Amino acid sequence: MPGLVQEQMKGFRLASFEYKQLPAMRFIGMEKDFSEDPQGLAQVVGVLDSLASYRSGFDQDAVLFHHLGKGVDVERRHDIYGRFMAPDTPVPQGFVGVDFSPQDNRQPGQPYLSQFACAVFAGDDDALHRREGFDSDAMYDVTRNIILGQNTAIPYPDKYWTAEVYPQGFDKEGNIYLFSVQL
């Protein structure tokens, strides 16, 4: 896998890679395609900012991707723009909450595991988000291939999720990729 990963990283590099296990949390966000609605996304950010007292410690803007604990051939991908918050954070009207726990309840879907690989990338934004020749995009494929190359379990499909993190906010390109694992 290391050779494949190096070949896939044209125009960018891996700045850091680590496995994390966080305490219970709740992802709060809105499931909507905001590509044509930047004002709507700004309103979502305003609501998330109003929940500052519920911070989880992993408070950056992110898009969470999941399939409700089902296979990709069974359930469409759900894209939720939001943030990880403290567990039991109230879910504002029109928003959704997705729960995470460090323990596996052995049931498909929520709570998903709060165990994940965190890959931080540096380089050309277009190269990071390139889709041609990849299963999803370059960040997804490289992160997944590092995990598989290290023989770390991906809890697919029952607890599978990924997320793209936008450390400078949604108005800048994301360069951090989270990928669910089972440690």
Side-chain angles (χ1 to χ4, degrees), residues 23 42 56 62 71-72 83 87 98 106 116 119 137 145-146 170 173:
S56 69
V72 298
R83 291 187 194 140
V98 178
R106 307 280 186 220
F116 55 92
D137 70 7
N145 290 341
I146 292 170
F170 286 120
E173 290 291 338

Side-chain angles (χ1 to χ4, degrees), residues 10-80:
K10 292 184 174 127
F12 65 95
R13 66 179 175 80
L14 183 66
S16 68
F17 182 91
E18 66 179 309
Y19 293 105
K20 294 182 178 252
Q21 182 170 333
L22 296 182
M25 7 179 227
R26 176 173 283 164
F27 191 85
I28 302 286
M30 187 171 284
E31 184 175 351
K32 179 182 173 180
D33 178 3
F34 287 100
S35 60
E36 302 296 322
D37 187 10
Q39 286 113 356
L41 185 54
Q43 291 173 341
V44 168
V45 169
V47 171
L48 295 172
D49 287 346
S50 75
L51 297 172
S53 63
Y54 295 99
R55 290 183 176 203
S56 69
F58 195 81
D59 307 311
Q60 299 162 328
D61 293 345
V63 180
L64 174 68
F65 309 105
H66 70 100
H67 298 270
L68 299 175
K70 300 174 184 171
V72 298
D73 56 338
V74 175
E75 180 67 34
R76 71 174 175 82
R77 188 178 81 183
H78 297 264
D79 302 3
I80 303 170

